[in-house]
Amino acid sequence: MEKLAKILVVVLILLVAAVPLLGQQIIAQPETIELRARMPENGGWSQEFIYGLVNVPIKLRMTSDDVVHSFALAQSSLPSVEIFPGKFSETELVFDQPGEYTFYCTRWCGANHWRMRGTIVIEGPASSDQPTSVPPLFLQLGLDLDAPHFARVIPSNRPESARASERTNALPDGLTDGENIWSKSPEALWKDLKADEDLDDQSVWDMVAWGLNQQGSSGWMGQGRELYTQNCLACHSESGRGDGVMVRDLPPMNHDKMGSEATRPPDFSDPAVLLGASPALLEGKIIRGGMGTGMPYWGNIFTSEQIRSLVLYLYSFQMELEERP
Ligand code: HEC
Ligand SMILES: [Cu+2]
């Protein structure tokens, strides 16, 4: 049994090693690559892998075999390119670093739309100034993303960041430490502050909202709203209740079996859901996705800053946050 596993592993490794080689031989140094877009049910992108070299331009000639799609390069500021049936759209890409770059469709072309993703593999020498990446906090903390996480302590009024702003000349320690805020659920942060500060419950909730608000970079709210509307609304819905058009026919979420079966998303309008979840946990879920549940993974699509904006935007279903100037 073990031997079989070993052989399998060897074969798999050989296969993995062979795939880039094969691809390279067939389409090394492409001048122009034709990329056909199709709904995932019809086969998805005609090429899931595109190979290229550092600093050699790749010209993509794209068309659709069914409905309107759109080509976007993940983690980049490149505007997406619409792809129409019967027409060709072109775009040219140049990469100055080797690596794997994700491309994806940004049009809701069907229930499996988010599976329309592919990889551009770039080979060649790395330039020296490549930034080193830090693993996201949920990995550092070893969080179980699928453990139930309902909050028991719920504010009687909506927490409001602006109300706490007046007090911020005397900040408790827990609110000046970004990692502390990012690793604790709002409920846990509230309990910590409540134990240390001689303040009424609502004032402490307002401080929690203020602390979260400080974690966004400038423009986070607009960015979060835009990303949510474009990528999350179809399932999580505008109200955050989790009854978007794509999931209406699915059974409601079962929080005890989170992350295992296809259900509707959790109800973000229920305070117990979000106030019991730390930013690190929500971030982890967005990066990793829901495994078997239909919650897509976004880790290779958005930058870490975009994901932060999304996390904070989710909390705004439960608190009054404000854009900092
Ligand atoms: C295709 C449907 C779908 C789309 C699109 C989708 N989600 Fe989800 N999401 C789900 C489902 C289903 C769950 C519940 C399953 C789970 O938690 O594993 C979920 C769970 C989550 C959770 C976990 C919440 C918790 O309390 O644990 C977060 C956070 C989340 N989604 C954020 C997002 C964001 C942000 C986007 C857009 C960038 C997004 N989702 C897009 C279906 C979707
Ligand atoms: Cu699509």
Side-chain angles (χ1 to χ4, degrees), residues 67-324:
V67 296
V68 181
H69 296 277
S70 179
F71 173 95
L73 196 61
Q75 301 183 339
S76 83
S77 51
L78 193 92
S80 56
V81 182
E82 306 271 87
I83 309 175
F84 300 96
K87 285 190 193 157
F88 278 92
S89 322
E90 289 190 350
T91 187
E92 200 168 279
L93 307 168
V94 186
F95 300 88
D96 63 0
Q97 295 284 353
E100 300 197 351
Y101 300 84
T102 302
F103 64 89
Y104 66 109
C105 173
T106 57
R107 279 275 190 146
W108 277 97
C109 52
N112 281 309
H113 147 78
W114 67 273
R115 292 182 197 279
M116 277 190 75
R117 296 177 179 185
T119 309
I120 301 176
V121 183
I122 299 296
E123 300 199 337
S127 63
S128 51
D129 54 350
Q130 205 160 18
T132 46
S133 58
V134 187
L137 201 54
F138 83 97
L139 289 178
Q140 293 178 43
L141 298 172
L143 290 185
D144 177 359
L145 299 182
D146 301 314
H149 48 255
F150 277 124
R152 282 166 217 276
V153 185
I154 304 294
S156 38
N157 295 306
R158 214 171 144 83
E160 237 179 75
S161 165
R163 261 198 309 250
S165 299
E166 296 135 35
R167 297 174 195 275
T168 48
N169 46 352
L171 278 181
D173 288 346
L175 275 188
T176 53
D177 175 355
E179 192 166 313
N180 181 54
I181 293 177
W182 210 255
S183 59
K184 282 187 186 139
S185 67
E187 179 193 37
L189 189 62
W190 182 88
K191 284 183 181 161
D192 281 4
L193 294 173
K194 181 72 186 162
D196 291 350
E197 302 294 311
D198 188 18
L199 289 171
D200 62 284
D201 291 4
Q202 190 62 40
S203 298
V204 178
W205 275 115
D206 293 343
M207 282 195 158
V208 169
W210 186 88
L212 279 166
N213 209 52
Q214 293 304 104
Q215 301 309 306
S217 47
S218 81
W220 71 263
M221 198 184 275
Q223 183 181 51
R225 183 183 296 114
E226 193 183 325
L227 290 171
Y228 183 86
T229 306
Q230 194 178 57
N231 301 283
C232 323
L233 200 90
C235 296
H236 286 277
S237 80
E238 198 173 348
S239 63
R241 287 208 173 83
D243 53 359
V245 286
M246 289 290 167
V247 291
R248 269 184 200 152
D249 299 335
L250 292 174
M253 167 125 212
N254 177 351
H255 285 268
D256 297 324
K257 281 184 165 181
M258 218 164 182
S260 58
E261 28 184 68
T263 62
R264 270 183 241 160
D267 180 357
F268 292 146
S269 72
D270 173 356
V273 171
L274 282 174
L275 299 182
S278 66
L281 185 144
L282 299 177
E283 180 180 54
K285 201 69 165 238
I286 296 169
I287 290 174
R288 188 208 68 180
M291 318 302 267
T293 66
M295 165 65 191
Y297 57 92
W298 304 94
N300 56 358
I301 300 288
F302 299 135
T303 63
S304 47
E305 194 211 325
Q306 288 176 316
I307 294 179
R308 274 182 99 85
S309 300
L310 274 167
V311 168
L312 294 175
Y313 184 74
L314 294 185
Y315 285 120
S316 71
F317 286 116
Q318 283 306 323
M319 11 183 126
E320 232 35 76
L321 300 178
E322 52 181 353
E323 187 88 63
R324 276 181 303 147

